[in-house]
């Protein structure tokens, strides 16, 4: 199967700390590492590991980080011919991971801001020939929106991972088949589309249902260790996640989106796809590192060995 991915690549500068500092506080005892990151690149690599034919649409700088990125894409069988080389530097992200495995991330987009509608138009045939287009919102919103419309006009499945949380134009919603937000992203989106709900307590099932009223197909709301909630025309179903010991949650959402998309394209059952994606995401959090943590299809069998 052929999948196009529109999203970011960046250098992840990860510091593991005993706990994340508060405002004005310094925490000692950290350990630092540099690794490949960016939601688009992570998702593309995870899909390729799951057996899909993947093309990545992103932008990088003319720098050492970009050269390293092309090396890893080649090694992971990700088609990078649609990657733009911009004038600014490659995106960088600073990630704090505490002893519980939870993370906090700050991003400098760099060359990603140069990924314009013009470049998306140049990729129209690539998008239209895919079975699915997966979009994350690291890229300019107008470029994401144009890509979704090209895909919709060609009958291509559109999967939107609205991360980082971003205001989404109303007309974008009708081009989305599967929306995959986490809890904070879902609340931000509901504030846009259902402002009367702001200030009222809304549980995750209600969040999912509110968002599902605005997309063409379904919402899969991810909830970390609590699993996911799938809302589609047949109703709403919570799906639990396997119980595992979390070492690093960075990249788990990308593993989930990737596996959900590939599995759904294979058998057309979104709820079954979500169950498998939960297992893949759970396995990823038991491993340190982002790319190293992205599972392969056979790896999910290891879930039985890591459940506690």
């Amino acid at each position: 199967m052929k999948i196009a991915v529109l999203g970011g690549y960046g250098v992840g500068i990860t510091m593991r700390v005993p706990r994340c500092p508060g405002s004005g506080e310094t925490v000692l005892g950290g350990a630092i590492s540099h690794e490949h990151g960016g939601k688009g690149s992570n998702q593309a690599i995870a899909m390729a590991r799951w057996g899909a034919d993947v093309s990545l649409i992103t932008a990088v700088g003319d720098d050492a980080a970009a050269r390293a990125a092309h090396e890893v894409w080649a090694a992971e069988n990700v088609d990078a011919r649609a990657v733009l080389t911009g004038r600014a530097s490659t995106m960088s992200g600073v990630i704090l991971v505490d002893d519980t495995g939870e993370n906090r991330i700050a991003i400098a987009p760099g060359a990603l801001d140069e990924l314009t509608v013009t470049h998306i138009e140049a990729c129209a045939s690539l998008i239209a020939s895919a079975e699915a287009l997966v979009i994350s919102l690291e890229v300019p919103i107008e470029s994401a929106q144009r890509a979704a419309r090209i895909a919709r006009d060609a009958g291509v499945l559109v999967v939107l991972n609205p991360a980082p949380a971003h205001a989404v134009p109303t007309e974008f919603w009708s081009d989305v088949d599967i929306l995959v937000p986490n809890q904070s992203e879902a609340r931000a989106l509901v504030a846009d589309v259902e402002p009367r709900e702001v200030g009222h307590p809304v549980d995750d099932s209600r969040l999912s249902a509110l968002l599902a009223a605005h997309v063409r197909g379904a919402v899969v709301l991810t909830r970390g260790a609590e699993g996911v909630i799938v809302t589609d025309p047949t109703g709403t179903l919570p799906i639990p996640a396997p119980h595992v010991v979390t070492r690093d949650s960075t990249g788990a959402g990308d593993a989930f989106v990737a596996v959900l998309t590939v599995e759904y394209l294979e058998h057309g059952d979104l709820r079954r796809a979500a169950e498998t994606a939960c297992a893949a995401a759970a396995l990823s959090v038991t491993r340190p590192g982002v790319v190293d943590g992205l599972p392969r299809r056979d790896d999910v069998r290891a879930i039985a060995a890591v459940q506690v």
Side-chain angles (χ1 to χ4, degrees):
M1 73 188 62
K2 186 174 180 182
I3 301 173
V5 179
L6 173 60
Y9 167 81
V11 178
I13 305 167
T14 300
M15 181 172 288
R16 302 179 190 282
V17 291
R19 59 182 178 81
C20 291
S23 178
E25 181 185 12
T26 299
V27 173
L28 300 177
I32 196 165
S33 62
H34 295 72
E35 55 189 331
H36 301 286
K39 299 192 70 63
S41 179
N42 294 344
Q43 291 167 4
I45 291 170
M47 290 177 201
R49 289 183 179 182
W50 215 257
D53 178 4
V54 184
S55 295
L56 177 62
I57 305 169
T58 191
V60 295
D62 182 8
D63 50 29
R67 291 186 284 276
H70 279 280
E71 289 177 3
V72 77
W73 294 329
E76 295 286 350
N77 297 312
V78 172
D79 175 14
R81 287 175 293 179
V83 174
L84 173 72
T85 299
R87 296 181 300 276
S89 60
T90 299
M91 179 177 74
S92 295
V94 178
I95 307 160
L96 290 179
V97 182
D98 65 23
D99 279 348
T100 71
E102 293 301 314
N103 63 67
R104 290 169 173 80
I105 303 172
I107 294 173
L112 270 183
D113 286 340
E114 300 174 45
L115 193 66
T116 64
V117 170
T118 299
H119 185 64
I120 299 301
E121 295 284 1
C123 298
S125 61
L126 184 155
I127 294 169
S129 64
E131 292 180 55
L133 170 67
V134 178
I135 303 171
S136 56
L137 296 184
E138 295 162 312
V139 302
I141 191 66
E142 61 272 12
S143 298
Q145 189 173 352
R146 181 61 188 135
R149 178 51 57 93
I150 291 170
R152 180 188 176 183
D153 289 346
V156 175
L157 180 80
V158 177
V159 179
L160 175 61
N161 179 207
H166 200 298
V168 176
T170 303
E171 59 270 22
F172 197 164
W173 291 94
S174 61
D175 292 334
V176 176
D177 294 294
I178 303 174
L179 180 71
V180 192
N182 65 21
Q183 290 161 302
S184 63
E185 292 153 2
R187 291 188 184 97
L189 292 173
V190 164
D192 283 340
V193 298
E194 297 284 353
R196 61 186 174 216
E197 298 288 341
V198 175
H200 299 286
V202 180
D203 65 20
D204 289 338
S205 294
R206 176 67 173 155
L207 276 176
S208 186
L210 286 169
L211 292 174
H214 293 272
V215 300
R216 289 197 298 159
V219 172
V220 181
L221 174 60
T222 63
R223 310 162 71 211
E226 297 178 78
V228 303
I229 292 177
V230 178
T231 302
D232 62 17
T234 67
T236 296
L237 177 70
I239 296 174
H243 297 292
V244 298
V245 175
T246 298
R247 295 186 65 188
D248 186 351
S249 62
T250 312
D254 299 330
F256 180 88
V257 170
V259 173
L260 179 82
T261 303
V262 176
E263 290 285 320
Y264 180 69
L265 288 177
E266 284 191 349
H267 51 67
D269 185 333
L270 186 61
R271 298 179 181 201
R272 176 180 158 194
E275 290 176 353
T276 304
C278 278
L283 182 58
S284 77
V285 307
T286 68
R287 302 169 170 178
V290 180
V291 172
D292 287 347
L294 298 173
R296 302 177 189 277
R297 191 184 293 266
D298 288 345
D299 288 344
V300 176
R301 296 172 186 166
I303 282 291
V306 297
Q307 287 190 22
V308 295

